[in-house]
Amino acid sequence: MTKFTAFNIFLIGVGGQGIGLLSEILIRAIDYSGQRCIGVDTHGLAQRGGVVSSHIKIGDVNSPLVLPGDVNLALALERHEAARALNYLKDNGILVYYNTSWQPLPVRLGKEPEIKEEEIESTARQRNISVFKVKYALPDSRMQNIALLGVVAKNNLVPGVEPKHYLMAMEDLMSERVYSANKEIFESILEAR
Amino acid sequence: MKSLGEVLIQRGPFSEIVIGNSAIVRAMLESGVKVVTSYPGSPTPEIAEAINSIPKDKNPLYFEFSTNEKVALELAFGAAVNGYTSCVFFKSVGMNVVADSFVQLSMMEIPGGMVIVTGDDPGANSSQNEQDNRHYARLSYTPIFEPKDAQEVYEMFKKAVEYSRKLRSPVVLRLTTHTAHFKQKVSFGVYEPSPTGEPLFDPNANGPYIPIAQNVPVMKRRALEKLLRWQEISENYAFLQGNGSDVGIITAGLPYLSLLDVLGESAKKVDILRLGMVYPLPRKAISEFLRKHKVVKILEELDNFIEEKVKAIAYEERIDVEIVGKTDIEDWIGEYTPEKVYSVMSKFSPELVRKVEKPVKFVRVVNRPPQLCPGCGHRPVFYVLSKLLREKDISVADIGCHTLGFLEPYKVGQILLSMGHSTGTASGLSMFNKDRKVVAFLGDSTFFHAGLPGIINAVFNKHNFTLVVMENGTTAMTGHQDHPGKAIKIRQILEAIGVKHIWEVDTYQQDKLEEILKTALETPEFNVVIAKHPCMLKFTRERRRKGIIKVPQMKVTNRCTLAGVCITKFACPSFQRADDGSIFVHEDLCIGDGSCMVVCPSGALEFEKIETGGGAK
């Protein structure tokens, strides 16, 4: 490992799935854990049902934008975007994705087949990338990002960041009502076997 | 919950994780800015969000979204000439809209100080080009600060205000998409509210302000003299990282950070000069740097703006050094992300770049273009027109969410220049054109922004085409900012201009919409269809805020014959394909608007019954 100590996280999903909030919770939690971190989201028309991504880097880093192939941890909120994220990961990296499918236009028009779990997992195996597939019954689909965060925290996939840091960040960003609902989901995932 | 407004307004000093756009607002407060204006355009709208998050009673900033960027700049100028420090911000192509007034600013004495923030967009993440606004600086003798991250966005804005007041001259703070959205823990200073003060516009003392013939040389000489003083200031913003190497790299802005990530360890094998001001350039620092190196690489995004000037300095100062700038067309194109800088620097010297193994095997990915949202009122217009327009007819797009009409399956909207161009371009396309019908589109925000002159011209000079005004009641694409249409009725303006044929229709009444569009396309004179429906994304967000989450959604019943009109022609994203080829409605997407029901040839679509007795809570 070169002196260049950096831990790069790449988040991706479809506009409207809550990537911005997930990324904001993550970067604040990392900060609460006492580590230096920078980040950037993509904004603009892509948010209208297009691809939205967010980059977060921890440690001795300079540009907030990741170098494809140089990502340690990828979080995807949708299956087609999980495939896109896989191509950003280093070999031996980690992919966590919420297993829901918002079919992109070419699939809905019948021009390309939908991406299935096996396609992602077979490529991941060949590159020694471990995959966490996440799916929960949630009161509101907009909480899928917090479910993903629960899996990240449970398996402590971000070095040095503990569950309490995520909760402190969530409390900063959510109203009382929203915080308590999301805290419940987050903690139920933490305790699940 | 920690509100951004409360954080920004605290006395301080303090530090907080923010993006560049929010850091600017703290800088506005600390430096005593009084008036801020804008027109919404990515990547800058979050500046307005941060301003509006400050509690009204504690907010010293007057802020407005003006009709367009030019009006916004002129308003900020008027306030600044009156002694109130002002700021106008807009996206890159907004510079073209303000240009007529912007180019005059450096010839004017501006006692209050005035900062112009341009949000450039290398890589055209959300713009119709990736124009390099640094050229406007040379055209108008206006200095430019170029920050590399959110901390520097904050620091440079404050310095820009300080110098702008001292020299009574305009100054540009040039952001790009990823410095505007750069997120880091920024350390802020102390905020002391300052009194508003009396207006002090004084043309006798600070004039001339009328650039007629004999005044122009006086005013221009003043601008050029100030530029020399700005050049001295730029020497303070020449940041040198010297390691005694005979290879040097001159760079600026975010590309500098990409460079460091790409060099990694070998950053110690080169000297780097980063320019914090890119106009005027620090002549002393640059010539000294050139003298100390055999080879100097200029690493800059978009055009060879710095390269040309550095080569001129080398010539004028008789310095013998090899200067390597843009080596091919590709070096001019795209954002200088780490990935791009990796390839640019590999061409310059492969052994300098850090080793990163590329994934040996890629998984298949599917392109995902942005989409009109589920329930969007624009969709019925494009669906109907994709049936009515013949292959040879012409459709002229404009800028807004409705630009997405050009995508499959609608393909409505074939040509686009800029905001509000559609009526002018359509007039030209309809010349000498008997057979090919011409239809133009215009958003309601763009109608006020730049659409009106083209409409007035079409009436006055009798051009023959159909204009469809897409009225959703908001500036939707950039985040639902308000626009004058909230108070001023578009129909009344059209009537006052003398448009003879005007129809208004709710786009959810698709049969009536189709009938009106058919008539409009047959009308041999300029005519306007106002296609109305509120923005459904804004509607559903407001509904969620009221706590209404579950609503009756659409259901594909067994009457479905797989005609596929809903999924391949109307193409609302809520319709998805099951593995067995059947069509279903995605529960995370459908908002229960029902605008699709009328398109199904077999009447197979109906609202699902929810156990709580149906109907929204």
Side-chain angles (χ1 to χ4, degrees):
Chain A
M1 229 347 233
T2 59
K3 180 200 113 344
F4 197 68
T5 54
F7 188 86
N8 301 332
I9 307 173
F10 180 65
L11 299 96
I12 191 166
V14 184
Q17 283 196 295
I19 290 292
L21 178 62
L22 178 59
S23 157
E24 187 73 11
I25 295 169
L26 211 52
I27 198 166
R28 283 179 173 277
I30 295 163
D31 180 62
Y32 275 127
S33 78
Q35 301 180 81
R36 175 182 177 273
C37 54
I38 58 176
V40 73
D41 298 349
T42 60
H43 285 247
L45 200 55
Q47 278 181 308
R48 301 289 180 249
V51 177
V52 173
S53 65
S54 181
H55 309 228
I56 298 177
K57 287 187 174 177
I58 307 173
D60 177 17
V61 289
N62 304 288
S63 169
L65 294 162
V66 301
L67 198 60
D70 199 24
V71 170
N72 305 87
L73 171 66
L75 308 181
L77 279 178
E78 191 272 350
R79 199 182 320 132
H80 294 80
E81 299 318 314
R84 218 178 310 275
L86 190 61
N87 295 339
Y88 273 77
L89 276 170
K90 293 180 184 211
D91 289 347
N92 318 309
I94 301 168
L95 169 65
V96 185
Y97 79 95
Y98 198 89
N99 189 16
T100 185
S101 167
W102 291 18
Q103 293 172 357
L105 184 61
V107 174
R108 287 185 279 115
L109 295 182
K111 295 194 169 177
E112 282 178 50
E114 182 176 52
I115 287 184
K116 291 296 178 198
E117 293 87 328
E118 300 76 44
E119 236 177 308
I120 293 173
E121 273 140 32
S122 72
T123 307
R125 267 191 305 277
Q126 290 169 47
R127 298 186 51 208
N128 194 19
I129 287 170
S130 38
V131 178
F132 293 81
K133 195 167 54 177
V134 180
K135 185 96 177 176
Y136 285 94
L138 298 167
D140 173 3
S141 64
R142 289 291 182 282
M143 302 170 95
Q144 289 168 359
N145 51 4
I146 300 302
L148 216 65
L149 195 68
V151 172
V152 169
K154 181 179 173 56
N155 299 280
N156 55 69
L157 301 180
V158 181
V161 185
E162 294 146 26
K164 68 174 190 247
H165 298 135
Y166 294 112
L167 287 169
M168 287 160 75
M170 281 162 68
E171 207 163 2
D172 278 353
L173 296 165
M174 295 172 176
S175 66
E176 259 323 291
R177 185 173 59 80
V178 173
Y179 173 63
S180 56
N182 282 288
K183 182 169 185 282
E184 219 182 295
I185 300 289
F186 181 75
E187 284 176 339
S188 70
I189 291 167
L190 270 183
E191 281 115 24
R193 280 295 140 275
Chain B
M1 178 167 174
K2 218 177 178 180
S3 111
L4 177 62
E6 295 295 348
V7 167
L8 289 175
I9 202 76
Q10 66 184 293
R11 195 171 178 294
F14 68 98
S15 50
E16 183 65 51
I17 292 185
V18 288
I19 61 174
N21 281 343
S22 303
I24 281 185
V25 175
R26 178 64 186 190
M28 287 176 183
L29 296 173
E30 290 182 20
S31 53
V33 169
K34 294 289 182 236
V35 173
V36 186
T37 57
S38 174
Y39 180 80
S42 193
T44 61
E46 296 83 2
I47 299 175
E49 273 170 45
I51 292 174
N52 290 331
S53 74
I54 300 171
K56 285 274 169 298
D57 55 341
K58 293 190 217 148
N59 192 347
L61 303 171
Y62 169 84
F63 172 71
E64 75 169 49
F65 277 120
S66 307
T67 319
N68 65 28
E69 295 88 344
K70 182 169 184 287
V71 173
L73 179 128
E74 287 147 1
L75 191 151
F77 168 65
V81 164
N82 231 347
Y84 303 107
T85 307
S86 70
C87 170
V88 57
F89 64 87
F90 42 75
K91 69 177 289 130
S92 54
V93 292
M95 192 61 101
N96 309 325
V97 179
V98 306
D100 214 8
S101 291
F102 171 77
V103 296
Q104 298 296 96
L105 295 180
S106 62
M107 295 199 290
M108 306 275 172
E109 279 290 292
I110 306 180
M114 179 177 181
V115 180
I116 297 98
V117 178
T118 170
D120 281 16
D121 190 4
N125 299 282
S126 50
S127 311
Q128 65 263 37
N129 66 30
E130 50 176 12
Q131 71 181 51
D132 190 337
N133 276 345
R134 294 179 296 174
H135 295 290
Y136 273 102
R138 187 174 292 161
L139 171 69
S140 63
Y141 316 131
T142 315
I144 296 191
F145 281 92
E146 174 118 18
K148 65 173 168 51
D149 57 23
Q151 180 74 44
E152 214 171 46
V153 165
Y154 158 71
E155 286 161 3
M156 282 186 170
F157 185 95
K158 284 177 66 178
K159 277 294 178 190
V161 169
E162 184 191 319
Y163 289 123
S164 176
R165 281 190 190 127
K166 200 181 290 171
L167 279 76
R168 297 162 151 237
S169 128
V171 62
V172 171
L173 180 73
R174 178 182 185 247
L175 307 182
T176 57
T177 301
H178 293 125
T179 47
H181 296 145
F182 196 110
K183 199 183 289 186
Q184 73 183 125
K185 180 158 257 187
V186 177
S187 38
F188 296 112
V190 171
Y191 161 50
E192 288 291 350
S194 54
T196 308
E198 290 309 309
L200 41 84
F201 174 59
D202 183 349
N204 303 326
N206 304 324
Y209 284 115
I210 306 281
I212 57 162
Q214 77 254 24
N215 283 347
V216 169
V218 170
M219 296 169 80
K220 181 172 179 179
R221 185 168 300 109
R222 183 166 59 184
L224 290 169
E225 279 157 2
K226 285 184 187 177
L227 207 53
L228 294 177
R229 291 170 64 194
W230 279 112
Q231 184 152 10
E232 281 152 31
I233 292 168
S234 75
E235 299 290 345
N236 309 329
Y237 291 88
F239 305 109
L240 178 62
Q241 227 170 297
N243 299 307
S245 162
D246 55 16
V247 174
I249 302 173
I250 297 180
T251 187
L254 201 57
Y256 164 69
L257 296 178
S258 299
L259 175 66
L260 293 182
D261 275 0
V262 162
L263 295 179
E265 285 303 296
S266 47
K268 292 203 284 297
K269 296 190 205 127
V270 293
D271 295 348
I272 301 174
L273 178 65
R274 177 174 70 92
L275 306 172
M277 283 184 70
V278 291
Y279 190 81
L281 286 180
R283 193 183 183 79
K284 289 196 198 74
I286 288 174
S287 31
E288 217 175 284
F289 190 77
L290 293 176
R291 280 199 187 84
K292 285 204 205 111
H293 296 93
K294 290 201 185 61
V295 182
V296 171
K297 168 70 180 173
I298 314 286
L299 181 76
E300 65 178 314
E301 206 168 38
L302 300 179
D303 300 352
N304 60 352
F305 186 79
I306 295 173
E307 175 186 334
E308 271 183 344
K309 187 63 181 165
V310 166
K311 286 179 174 171
I313 291 173
Y315 171 78
E316 288 154 9
E317 308 271 347
R318 301 286 183 279
I319 302 169
D320 177 19
V321 61
E322 183 196 354
I323 297 172
V324 179
K326 302 275 175 183
T327 53
D328 56 31
I329 285 178
E330 289 316 310
D331 285 356
W332 290 67
I333 299 170
E335 180 182 2
Y336 270 46
T337 60
E339 186 180 14
K340 176 79 174 181
V341 168
Y342 196 93
S343 74
V344 169
M345 288 305 292
S346 301
K347 283 186 281 187
F348 171 62
S349 98
E351 73 288 355
L352 273 182
V353 296
R354 184 162 66 87
K355 289 293 158 281
V356 176
E357 321 86 39
K358 283 271 176 281
V360 65
K361 185 170 187 319
F362 287 97
V363 67
R364 174 176 70 101
V365 290
V366 178
N367 181 32
R368 182 190 296 278
Q371 293 290 274
L372 292 173
C373 305
C376 177
H378 297 337
R379 175 169 291 110
V381 176
F382 294 128
Y383 170 64
V384 165
L385 279 173
S386 60
K387 290 190 293 180
L388 293 180
L389 293 177
R390 302 159 300 171
E391 193 53 35
K392 57 183 172 188
D393 292 334
I394 298 168
S395 51
V396 182
D398 206 280
I399 287 189
C401 286
H402 59 84
T403 311
L404 295 177
F406 86 97
L407 285 169
E408 285 189 295
Y410 321 111
K411 295 194 179 145
V412 174
Q414 299 162 310
I415 186 165
L416 170 61
L417 276 182
S418 63
M419 275 184 78
H421 88 108
S422 64
T423 43
T425 302
S427 302
L429 278 162
S430 63
M431 306 291 296
F432 324 116
N433 183 353
K434 295 288 163 290
D435 185 27
R436 302 178 66 181
K437 293 197 183 70
V438 177
V439 59
F441 294 89
L442 193 58
D444 47 6
S445 185
T446 317
F447 174 91
F448 294 100
H449 172 279
L452 269 172
I455 294 171
I456 294 168
N457 188 67
V459 171
F460 180 62
N461 287 315
K462 299 184 176 44
H463 294 292
N464 168 21
F465 60 94
T466 299
L467 171 65
V468 181
V469 177
M470 311 289 273
E471 184 159 21
N472 56 10
T474 181
T475 308
M477 186 168 89
T478 44
H480 305 125
Q481 295 79 11
D482 283 339
H483 63 65
K486 205 172 169 190
I488 305 164
K489 289 289 159 267
I490 288 178
R491 182 182 189 117
Q492 285 166 2
I493 297 175
L494 293 172
E495 283 160 356
I497 293 169
V499 178
K500 290 207 194 62
H501 313 280
I502 306 171
W503 296 272
E504 250 181 302
V505 60
D506 178 340
T507 61
Y508 271 23
Q509 296 166 2
Q510 212 176 103
D511 299 339
K512 193 172 166 225
L513 172 69
E514 181 158 358
E515 198 200 307
I516 286 173
L517 283 171
K518 228 181 256 159
T519 316
L521 288 171
E522 299 307 330
T523 308
E525 266 185 312
F526 177 61
N527 59 80
V528 179
V529 176
I530 304 175
K532 301 163 70 101
H533 199 83
C535 168
M536 291 308 277
L537 180 63
K538 184 166 183 254
F539 170 79
T540 43
R541 278 191 180 154
E542 280 152 6
R543 189 169 67 183
R544 283 185 78 86
R545 257 184 234 115
K546 293 195 208 102
I548 301 165
I549 308 292
K550 200 75 192 80
V551 293
Q553 294 181 319
M554 204 44 54
K555 196 177 63 172
V556 179
T557 64
N558 48 31
R559 295 192 298 279
C560 171
T561 59
L562 286 180
V565 174
C566 61
I567 191 168
T568 58
K569 295 282 185 292
F570 191 67
C572 170
S574 310
F575 293 109
Q576 308 266 308
R577 247 169 233 291
D579 295 343
D580 61 8
S582 66
I583 298 165
F584 67 95
V585 172
H586 198 300
E587 59 172 352
D588 294 349
L589 289 166
C590 178
I591 62 167
D593 56 280
S595 67
C596 54
M597 291 169 71
V598 67
V599 309
C600 177
S602 36
L605 296 173
E606 64 184 34
F607 281 103
E608 66 178 350
K609 303 281 176 299
I610 299 188
E611 332 74 56
T612 55
K617 273 206 289 309

